[in-house]
Amino acid sequence: QVQLVESGGGSVQPGGSLTLSCKLSGFTLHYYAIGWFRQAPGKEHEGVLCISADGSTKYADSMKGRFTSSRDNDKNTAYLQMNSLTPEDTAVYYCAADTDPCGSYYLEWEWYDYWGQGTQVTVSS
């Protein structure tokens, strides 16, 4: 069974950092690009970045500088490192997987083949 499971969410104060994990099961991370998305209440899914199988990363313009991604193929897990968080970063964060490299549609939720269930991140003082 193909599955992506996000973890690492929680509550953090403004200016803080969090690292989210995306664990794959039923398929091998080595062959997949991983996209990260977020969805705030009442809003559409917003693309954060996409990391291809070779480790190259494409970012949404608004996410550059504070968000980075990495992948550990041995652990079949991808990561999203988030720094200098603000209350506007409060959302449910999702990972998604696709067999193609991060292409023109890397910020499009529907482009991906598989999606996780999300993990809540709350930034508040």
Side-chain angles (χ1 to χ4, degrees):
Q1 181 181 0
V2 171
Q3 199 171 17
L4 293 85
V5 178
E6 301 92 338
S7 62
S11 295
V12 62
Q13 292 188 339
S17 299
L18 274 178
T19 298
L20 306 182
S21 300
C22 173
K23 173 74 172 177
L24 277 64
S25 60
F27 61 120
T28 304
L29 175 64
H30 178 75
Y31 300 105
Y32 286 81
I34 299 296
W36 285 94
F37 293 82
R38 67 185 187 183
Q39 187 175 31
K43 295 188 176 181
E44 298 292 323
H45 288 100
E46 179 183 23
V48 176
L49 57 81
C50 177
I51 180 168
S52 290
D54 64 0
S56 60
T57 305
K58 291 186 176 183
Y59 297 86
D61 288 341
S62 61
M63 308 297 174
K64 291 179 181 178
R66 296 192 301 122
F67 292 77
T68 59
S69 187
S70 60
R71 47 197 295 150
D72 186 333
N73 289 338
D74 290 339
K75 295 182 178 179
N76 228 31
T77 301
Y79 303 94
L80 178 67
Q81 174 70 40
M82 306 184 294
N83 300 313
S84 302
L85 289 165
T86 72
E88 289 67 37
D89 295 314
T90 295
V92 178
Y93 283 72
Y94 301 86
C95 60
D98 195 273
T99 52
D100 291 326
C102 306
S104 302
Y105 301 101
Y106 72 101
L107 294 178
E108 300 295 330
W109 175 258
E110 296 79 9
W111 179 73
Y112 292 81
D113 295 327
Y114 306 104
W115 302 267
Q117 295 300 308
T119 184
Q120 176 70 46
V121 172
T122 302
V123 185
S124 173
S125 56

